[in-house]
Amino acid sequence: MEYDTFKRMYLAELQEMRSAEDQLADALPRLAEKASASDLRQAVNRHALQTERQRERLDALIQGHRAEPAAHRDSAMGTLLKEAGRWADKIDVPALRDAGLISSLQRIEHYEIAVYGSLATWAKQLGLDGDMTALLDILEEEKRTDHDLSVLAKKAVNPQAARS
């Protein structure tokens, strides 16, 4: 696709975020299995379900523009997930592994927050109010997930890791 208009850039970025959510939906169940803290495992599993719903909403947005949802592949998410997998696989101490998982998951959340914020701003600029509303809803979900991970880290996981 040639990026000669703002709308084409917007659609390409929307497709890339759909790819990111697709990769994340595949990876989160495996990462949840690596978590030793049941609260963390439950949080990751909840986020996996949320991610699947977000992917479906992105599919609907993209198809509403008569574009193919899977037309682009997001390489940044692949790199973030590879890093998360390394933490999950190379740390044997459960509390330390959980702290590493949260750190990796928050990197992913911050990436998603940045992209959804940009996409919502672009949708507004393009006059795509329906898209903007859907993207802002997803953005708020990502912010809540990041907040929940921070609370879990501060109250339970990081103190336990520090004692290890």
Side-chain angles (χ1 to χ4, degrees):
M1 174 184 280
E2 191 174 317
Y3 305 111
D4 56 355
T5 68
F6 195 37
K7 185 163 184 185
R8 286 185 188 204
M9 283 176 54
Y10 166 76
L11 286 173
E13 190 70 5
L14 202 57
Q15 289 164 321
E16 289 218 7
M17 200 58 215
R18 192 271 182 202
S19 166
E21 295 291 11
D22 191 47
Q23 293 173 62
L24 188 56
D26 289 343
L28 284 172
R30 288 190 305 274
L31 293 174
E33 289 176 8
K34 298 288 185 170
S36 64
S38 63
D39 288 348
L40 177 55
R41 194 174 322 105
Q42 290 171 5
V44 176
N45 282 325
R46 275 192 310 273
H47 190 52
L49 294 173
Q50 180 185 72
T51 298
E52 290 175 17
R53 289 190 306 270
Q54 290 168 346
R55 180 179 53 193
E56 291 167 4
R57 291 188 300 197
L58 290 173
D59 283 349
L61 287 178
I62 294 165
Q63 289 167 347
H65 293 287
R66 295 182 179 85
E68 176 60 38
H72 288 272
R73 175 126 175 103
D74 183 83
S75 59
M77 182 59 76
T79 300
L80 290 167
L81 289 169
K82 182 191 270 187
E83 192 68 24
R86 279 199 293 234
W87 276 120
D89 293 335
K90 73 179 179 183
I91 299 175
D92 293 330
V93 179
L96 297 178
R97 184 176 51 246
D98 286 353
L101 282 170
I102 288 178
S103 177
S104 293
L105 291 168
Q106 286 195 288
R107 279 188 197 102
I108 290 166
E109 289 308 311
H110 293 182
Y111 173 66
E112 290 180 304
I113 289 166
V115 176
Y116 281 119
S118 293
L119 281 169
T121 300
W122 289 7
K124 180 179 181 178
Q125 192 67 43
L126 290 164
L128 304 170
D129 294 340
D131 284 23
M132 181 189 68
T133 299
L135 293 164
L136 287 173
D137 288 346
I138 294 171
L139 176 61
E140 287 307 311
E141 291 172 4
E142 300 297 356
K143 288 178 179 180
R144 275 193 304 277
T145 298
D146 181 57
H147 173 77
D148 292 348
L149 288 168
S150 289
V151 169
L152 183 58
K154 289 176 188 173
K155 287 188 175 182
V157 172
N158 289 350
Q160 189 171 355
R163 289 188 298 270
S164 295

